[in-house]
Amino acid sequence: MKRGKWLFPVLSVLFVLGLMIGLDLLTGADADKLMTNYIRKMGFINPDDISSFILLFTVAIFYLIKNRN
Amino acid sequence: MHAINQRSLFALIILFELGSAVLLDPGKNAMQDSWLAVLLGFVMALPLLFLYGGLAKAYPFQSFSELLQIGFGRFIGVTLSICYFGYFLYISARVLRDFDELLIISAYSGASLLLISICMMMTIMYFSIKGISSIAIIAPFLLWIVVIPLLIIGFLQFLSGNVSFELIKPVLGKGLKPLFQTAFPQLLTFPFGEMIVFTFIFPYMTNKTSLLKTSITAVFTVALILSFLAFIHVLVLGPEAVKRSAFPMLNSVSAINISDFLQRLDSFIVIIMVLVGFAKIAVFFIVAVQGTHQLAKSKSMTPLVLFFGLFIIYASIAIAPNYMEHLNEGLIILPMFVHLPFQAGIPLLLAGILFIKGKKKRHLEKSE
């Protein structure tokens, strides 16, 4: 995809993020709670999460190598 | 997208609509009348289904995204299409979280939420690359795997002697008000209004003549199944326990015990739940991916599938700090503020504009 073609997917993702944050604010979330949900929780300190990511990247790399042409 | 036949569409709609609705029992707030609330929700959703079918009949070769551009003009049409694809991605993430939680509660108590999300999403991403026809082809086969065990399990409840007909009484004890409060907007929008996603699939049907009939028959079948299951849940658990339970289906099935021989069927039901959940997430995800792909006019869909797939894994975890908040958000706030505008507001406005534009065009043609 050309760089310009990424505009629509990125806008869709931004819309989802906006929707999620908007709904959280509607349920009474404060800045600290939003920070925990969207950033701190993604710190992956849990060993299970690290193994999940290794699994994901292994499959992704395998797929990319298989379809490199 | 490749062509889809009527049989596949029928099966796909049933699997899709059962999706998380069979798991969560959306009519449970109507207490012992939940089974009636589901049927009322279906009746209230009928005008919406006719609207979606009517649009597909009037514009058989245009998807809803193209109709938005015809009705509202290029800029607003594209903006609304992006919002719709974002909305479908959001629901995918929400349903993915439902099934992650189900699997963690029922079978994989020590597993990470992320690991289960990744495993489910990778399968869906693979299917997405192959297109909607890949899931439509296996839908009739999956339908038998899902519906027959669901009905058998329902009847096993009667055989095991868990049911008490006293729990369903008094029917309409508090009048019609709780019924209407549950049906609107909750049941109208979830699961019946979610049929909006099929307006993006209808143009790819091989035979468009009986499209409306097939869709309404499929949704009616879903309403009957959901109503039957809601009825069973109340008979087994009682209205209060059903309302408190996060997964009434799982609780009621785990109560089955026939002569200490046939028991622990909950693990069996989890497999069925995962199948319907897979169909629901896949339909939302594939439509979002294909729609964005057509809008961006890109050559390959694979980078888009990877981008959206990774984002959904992230969104399914970030969507709520815990499952109770996730449920509250999904069943109380979402129907009124998000589902209604997307499922009823915009399509109604679009139908009105297209009707006026069509009338003007015919008038001009006549005068010429």
Side-chain angles (χ1 to χ4, degrees):
Chain A
M1 271 201 285
K2 286 177 192 168
R3 197 190 295 171
K5 307 280 183 192
W6 281 102
L7 179 68
F8 294 127
V10 170
L11 284 176
S12 293
V13 164
L14 286 178
F15 174 79
V16 182
L17 279 174
L19 191 65
M20 282 162 63
I21 293 171
L23 285 167
D24 280 346
L25 290 174
L26 261 177
T27 49
D30 54 6
D32 190 53
K33 199 176 172 187
L34 288 180
M35 208 48 185
T36 310
N37 278 355
Y38 292 91
I39 298 164
R40 282 185 209 134
K41 231 168 111 182
M42 299 298 143
F44 307 118
I45 43 167
N46 187 348
D48 286 346
D49 292 338
I50 295 166
S51 60
S52 312
F53 257 79
I54 291 168
L55 175 74
L56 175 74
F57 282 114
T58 310
V59 173
I61 290 165
F62 175 74
Y63 183 83
L64 289 174
I65 291 170
K66 194 170 160 260
N67 294 293
R68 66 184 182 276
N69 297 322
Chain B
M1 282 192 201
H2 298 103
I4 301 166
N5 62 29
Q6 297 288 333
R7 193 165 148 257
S8 299
L9 179 77
F10 179 79
L12 192 60
I13 290 176
I14 293 184
L15 290 175
F16 168 84
E17 287 282 296
L18 282 178
S20 42
V22 74
L23 183 72
L24 302 173
D25 191 356
K28 64 185 179 184
N29 284 338
M31 305 299 276
Q32 68 269 29
D33 296 324
S34 56
W35 62 285
L36 282 173
V38 173
L39 294 177
L40 182 68
F42 168 71
V43 174
M44 288 170 97
L46 271 177
L48 276 187
L49 299 177
F50 277 109
L51 174 69
Y52 303 154
L55 281 173
K57 207 175 172 184
Y59 297 88
F61 301 105
Q62 275 94 16
S63 78
F64 194 73
S65 170
E66 287 163 323
L67 288 184
L68 285 169
Q69 290 174 50
I70 294 170
F72 296 104
R74 167 96 183 140
F75 180 73
I76 300 175
V78 168
T79 311
L80 283 175
S81 299
I82 291 169
C83 294
Y84 265 99
F85 299 135
Y87 170 63
F88 295 150
L89 287 177
Y90 175 77
I91 304 182
S92 305
R94 181 158 279 283
V95 181
L96 182 63
R97 178 63 178 267
D98 282 332
F99 286 91
D100 287 350
E101 294 282 354
L102 168 78
L103 287 171
I104 283 176
I105 289 172
S106 61
Y108 306 102
S109 52
S112 147
L113 208 62
L114 189 67
L115 179 70
I116 295 171
S117 287
I118 287 173
C119 290
M120 267 192 95
M121 210 52 219
M122 278 203 306
T123 327
I124 293 165
M125 282 157 75
Y126 180 73
F127 263 86
S128 309
I129 294 169
K130 303 286 171 193
I132 190 83
S133 53
S134 59
I135 189 160
I137 289 166
I138 59 162
F141 174 67
L142 285 180
L143 182 69
W144 294 114
I145 299 178
V146 170
V147 173
I148 292 176
L150 275 182
L151 296 177
I152 290 174
I153 281 168
F155 288 110
L156 280 178
Q157 297 280 15
F158 288 98
L159 273 181
S160 65
N162 291 334
V163 297
S164 163
F165 281 94
E166 287 305 309
L167 293 169
I168 209 88
K169 293 175 189 169
V171 177
L172 293 177
K174 288 176 184 167
L176 286 168
K177 203 180 167 191
L179 228 63
F180 278 97
Q181 278 173 340
T182 314
F184 184 84
Q186 193 176 305
L187 275 159
L188 171 72
T189 55
F190 168 70
F192 303 118
E194 287 175 340
M195 279 293 290
I196 182 76
V197 75
F198 279 87
T199 53
F200 291 81
I201 298 173
F202 287 152
Y204 303 98
M205 294 291 302
T206 47
N207 177 11
K208 294 182 180 78
T209 48
S210 53
L211 202 142
L212 189 65
K213 198 175 143 192
T214 311
S215 312
I216 290 180
T217 315
V219 180
F220 179 61
T221 312
V222 171
L224 287 181
I225 295 171
L226 289 178
S227 178
F228 172 70
L229 292 174
F231 186 73
I232 298 281
H233 295 159
V234 175
L235 289 183
V236 175
L237 303 171
E240 280 295 337
V242 171
K243 198 181 174 186
R244 277 199 307 272
S245 170
F247 302 117
M249 185 76 193
L250 206 63
N251 294 111
S252 71
V253 169
S254 58
I256 294 176
N257 184 1
I258 299 173
S259 312
D260 288 334
F261 173 69
L262 207 59
Q263 53 182 322
R264 297 297 307 270
L265 292 174
D266 43 340
S267 50
F268 182 62
I269 210 79
V270 168
I271 299 169
I272 297 168
M273 295 294 111
V274 169
L275 286 178
V276 285
F278 168 77
K280 187 163 184 172
I281 303 167
V283 169
F284 275 124
F285 185 72
I286 293 171
V287 168
V289 169
Q290 298 261 16
T292 315
H293 170 65
Q294 283 168 1
L295 215 58
K297 294 187 178 73
S298 48
K299 277 181 190 168
S300 170
M301 217 165 57
T302 315
L304 202 59
V305 169
L306 282 172
F307 177 60
F308 278 165
L310 288 174
F311 173 71
I312 286 199
I313 293 169
Y314 165 74
S316 73
I317 296 162
I319 209 160
N322 57 59
Y323 192 55
M324 288 332 284
E325 275 194 33
H326 173 69
L327 275 186
N328 282 341
E329 208 175 272
L331 297 176
I332 298 165
I333 297 164
L334 209 61
M336 191 56 97
F337 295 106
V338 182
H339 286 330
L340 265 186
F342 278 103
Q343 295 172 3
I346 297 171
L348 269 173
L349 195 64
L350 176 69
I353 291 171
L354 288 176
F355 178 74
I356 294 166
K357 276 192 170 178
K359 221 176 173 181
K360 264 188 182 172
K361 202 180 169 187
R362 275 194 299 275
H363 184 73
L364 277 173
E365 279 170 0
K366 261 184 188 177
S367 60
E368 279 171 9

